[in-house]
């Protein structure tokens, strides 16, 4: 039976950051992961370039039952601290859009950096290792596929349920429940939305068409890229709104947010009333989308023959298209899991369970979910760092 100060379950962003910090403080640390390599989500993130943080981090960029919970960790280990870390390792990066920072080269550089930092801090890593059970007396007994370990502290950094193909399990929620912590209902987030077969029949020919759109639901609105897919809608604006959308909700989509559709159509009617509305719309949105809007309204007369009321209907279909998705693509493609370990159960400064001294939860397994744009990694770095100062 081997003894450690700290056992971290999960070699993802949060777990590795915590292990590095604890190791630097002289703690003996073992990181356990059932995958064959560390940082699998980092590797596939940001299209292989990892959107590792954002220049503009505020509590409004995070969803949680307690909107203030994340503030402490985020303000003690900030985006600037992470930028400083990667700069010290010579990793080049750039801002893509909306403050989102990506590696110039590859996400693998971040993984290699974390590996180097773990080595320097004397952290041990056990891959291809599963956790059979965790029990607590004075200390924690952690039964691994490789044998029994004992530690003073256990840090649960197993992530959420998204992308089971690369090792996501929901195991962290089971540990929470076993130790009596409540878990806020989980659901896939940052995920494409899907349509009912009746809507899909009309939309399918548009698959692959993309525009810049403004998408709203339940009091939130995102102005970003928008894409029609074979099963519904996607693109950054839809991934963002998916975190706020619930079954039965309507989504309002402005397919041309920089254009006052009614004003433009009226002007075109005055200039050249002999053109079809579909032709007029082609100056505003891609041809296929113009056809889709015109067909949806059964417009068979020229612009000159359209009343103001009719132009208003066309403009609404352009600037305020309403649609009710029926579902999402689920955990198979979701970037994150909404919900998780109830923040009421944790100390916001240390991430320690209030009921179980020595048991910590960090990263995505906690009920803190960031927007698209580097916020989820920043939460992983910050919460991992916070626990790493005290374990
Ligand atoms: P993470 O999921 O990274 O790590 C958990 C670890 O625990 C894994 O290594 C897993 O194998 C291990 N584990 C799970 N169950 C276990 C068990 N039973 N036993 C042992 N080990 C177990 N965010 C962002 O800010 N910018 C971005 O660019 C992206 N891009 C992106 C793309 C894609 C495709 C996805 C799916 C997600 C993103 N994200 C993102 C989200 C981001 O990847 C995510 O929020 C963080 O990786 C969460 O870090 P954690 O360390 O909490 O969990």
């Amino acid at each position: 039976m081997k003894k450690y100060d700290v056992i971290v379950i999960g070699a993802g962003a949060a777990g590795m950051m915590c292990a590095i910090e604890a190791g630097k403080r002289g703690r003996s640390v073992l990181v356990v992961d059932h995958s064959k390599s560390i940082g699998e989500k980092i590797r596939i993130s940001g299209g292989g370039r990892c959107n590792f943080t954002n220049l503009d981090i505020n509590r409004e960029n995070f969803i949680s039952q307690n909107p203030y919970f994340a503030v402490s960790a985020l303000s003690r280990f900030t985006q600037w601290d992470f930028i400083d870390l990667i700069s010290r390792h010579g990793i080049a990066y750039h801002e893509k859009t909306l403050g989102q920072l990506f590696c110039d080269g590859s996400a693998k550089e971040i993984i290699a950096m974390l590996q180097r930092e773990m080595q320097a801090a004397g952290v041990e890593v056990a891959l291809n290792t599963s956790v059979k059970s965790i029990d607590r007396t004075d200390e924690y007994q952690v039964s691994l596929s490789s044998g029994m370990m004992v530690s003073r502290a256990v840090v649960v950094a197993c992530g959420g349920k998204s992308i089971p193909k690369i090792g996501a399990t929901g195991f962290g929620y089971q540990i929470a429940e076993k130790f009596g912590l409540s878990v806020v209902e989980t659901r896939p987030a940052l995920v494409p939305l899907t349509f009912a077969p009746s809507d899909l029949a009309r939309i399918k020919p548009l698959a692959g068409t993309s525009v810049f759109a403004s998408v709203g639901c339940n009091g939130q609105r995102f102005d970003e890229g928008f894409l029609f897919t074979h099963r519904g809608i996607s693109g950054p604006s839809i991934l963002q709104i998916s975190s706020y959308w619930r079954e039965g909700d309507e989504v309002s989509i402005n397919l041309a947010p920089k254009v006052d559709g009614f004003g433009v159509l009226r002007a075109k009617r005055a200039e050249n009333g002999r053109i079809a509305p579909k032709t007029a719309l082609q100056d505003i949105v891609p041809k296929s989308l113009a056809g889709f809007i015109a067909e949806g309204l059964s417009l068979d007369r020229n612009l000159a023959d359209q009343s103001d009321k009719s132009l208003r209907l066309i403009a609404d279909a352009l600037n305020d298209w309403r649609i009710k998705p029926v579902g999402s693509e689920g955990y198979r493609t979701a970037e994150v899991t909404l919900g998780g370990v109830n923040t009421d159960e944790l100390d916001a400064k240390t991430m320690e369970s209030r009921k179980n001294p020595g048991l910590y939860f960090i990263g995505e397994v906690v009920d803190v979910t960031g927007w698209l744009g580097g916020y989820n990694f920043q939460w992983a770095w910050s919460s991992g760092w916070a626990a790493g100062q005290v374990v």
Side-chain angles (χ1 to χ4, degrees):
M1 191 149 45
K2 221 175 152 185
K3 260 189 135 172
Y4 290 91
D5 291 324
V6 186
I7 294 181
V8 179
I9 304 168
M16 289 193 279
M17 181 56 95
C18 175
I20 291 162
E21 290 301 312
K24 286 201 293 203
R25 290 174 44 246
R27 300 287 187 263
S28 58
V29 184
L30 174 69
V31 180
V32 179
D33 203 298
H34 64 170
S35 295
K36 63 178 191 318
S37 30
I38 61 169
E40 276 294 90
K41 276 214 182 134
I42 301 174
R43 185 179 57 80
I44 63 163
S45 66
R49 290 213 160 125
C50 187
N51 176 195
F52 53 83
T53 193
N54 195 293
L55 292 172
D56 198 15
I57 303 264
N58 293 298
R59 72 173 171 79
E60 289 79 14
N61 306 121
F62 297 86
I63 304 163
S64 170
Q65 276 198 352
N66 176 356
Y68 295 93
F69 180 81
V71 172
S72 169
L74 290 169
S75 61
R76 283 184 304 134
F77 187 81
T78 68
Q79 65 273 42
W80 310 112
D81 294 313
F82 193 76
I83 292 167
D84 185 48
L85 177 63
I86 69 158
S87 302
R88 275 189 273 124
H89 283 259
I91 299 175
Y93 62 91
H94 61 278
E95 180 187 352
K96 197 168 169 191
T97 175
L98 301 170
Q100 300 166 5
L101 299 188
F102 287 74
C103 299
D104 285 356
S106 157
K108 288 181 191 160
E109 294 174 65
I110 303 253
I111 301 174
M113 171 190 84
L114 294 167
Q115 186 145 36
R116 279 196 300 275
E117 287 276 332
M118 285 198 294
Q119 262 164 13
V123 172
E124 281 180 47
V125 179
L127 296 173
N128 291 312
T129 303
S130 55
V131 182
K132 292 194 206 153
S133 62
I134 304 173
D135 293 290
R136 178 178 168 227
T137 47
D138 283 350
E139 295 182 304
Y140 287 89
Q141 292 84 41
V142 183
S143 171
L144 301 178
S145 50
S146 54
M148 184 63 98
M149 309 289 162
V150 174
S151 71
R152 222 178 13 78
V154 167
V155 181
V156 181
C158 301
K161 298 178 186 170
S162 325
I163 325 267
K165 210 171 67 188
I166 60 160
T169 56
F171 183 54
Y173 312 119
Q174 290 168 28
I175 302 174
E177 276 162 3
K178 169 173 174 161
F179 284 92
L181 279 71
S182 67
V183 173
V184 175
E185 191 185 355
T186 54
R187 56 182 285 125
L190 299 183
V191 64
L193 298 176
T194 54
F195 286 167
S198 51
D199 288 324
L200 210 51
R202 279 189 59 225
I203 276 148
K204 256 191 174 161
L206 290 173
T209 303
S210 64
V211 289
F212 178 83
S214 174
V215 178
C217 186
N218 287 324
Q220 281 291 332
R221 184 158 282 280
F222 293 95
D223 293 3
E224 288 190 59
F226 169 94
L227 173 73
F228 288 94
T229 72
H230 287 284
R231 291 156 57 90
I233 46 181
S234 185
S237 59
I238 293 299
L239 299 187
Q240 298 278 33
I241 213 69
S242 72
S243 299
Y244 295 89
W245 174 85
R246 294 293 177 275
E247 284 71 11
D249 288 343
E250 197 174 60
V251 177
S252 142
I253 303 169
N254 185 341
L255 294 160
K258 293 183 177 152
V259 175
D260 162 20
F262 182 65
V264 169
L265 289 168
R266 264 182 77 155
K268 284 186 179 289
R269 184 179 62 185
E271 269 165 37
N272 181 8
R274 278 179 304 172
I275 61 169
K278 179 175 158 180
T279 312
L281 285 167
Q282 282 173 24
D283 287 347
I284 306 172
V285 288
K287 195 171 168 184
S288 54
L289 192 47
F292 168 78
I293 293 170
E295 279 153 31
L297 295 170
S298 307
L299 300 170
D300 50 6
R301 289 171 297 139
N302 288 341
L303 267 190
D305 301 319
Q306 306 289 339
S307 63
D308 273 2
K309 196 173 156 198
S310 156
L311 288 191
R312 182 66 72 189
L313 281 177
I314 305 172
D316 282 350
L318 178 76
N319 291 135
D320 188 19
W321 177 43
R322 304 286 179 110
I323 184 94
K324 253 189 200 177
V326 288
S328 82
E329 296 276 5
Y331 289 118
R332 189 179 57 83
T333 63
E335 283 201 11
V336 282
T337 303
L338 206 60
V341 175
N342 194 325
T343 54
D344 288 349
E345 305 276 7
L346 306 175
D347 181 313
K349 197 165 171 217
T350 61
M351 306 292 138
E352 188 175 21
S353 159
R354 294 187 190 281
K355 291 181 189 137
N356 306 274
L359 184 63
Y360 297 77
F361 290 83
I362 56 172
E364 196 180 319
V365 72
V366 178
D367 173 34
V368 173
T369 306
W371 286 3
L372 187 79
Y375 299 102
N376 285 296
F377 276 132
Q378 186 58 46
W379 168 243
W381 313 131
S382 298
S383 58
W385 182 92
Q389 306 311 305
V390 291
V391 282

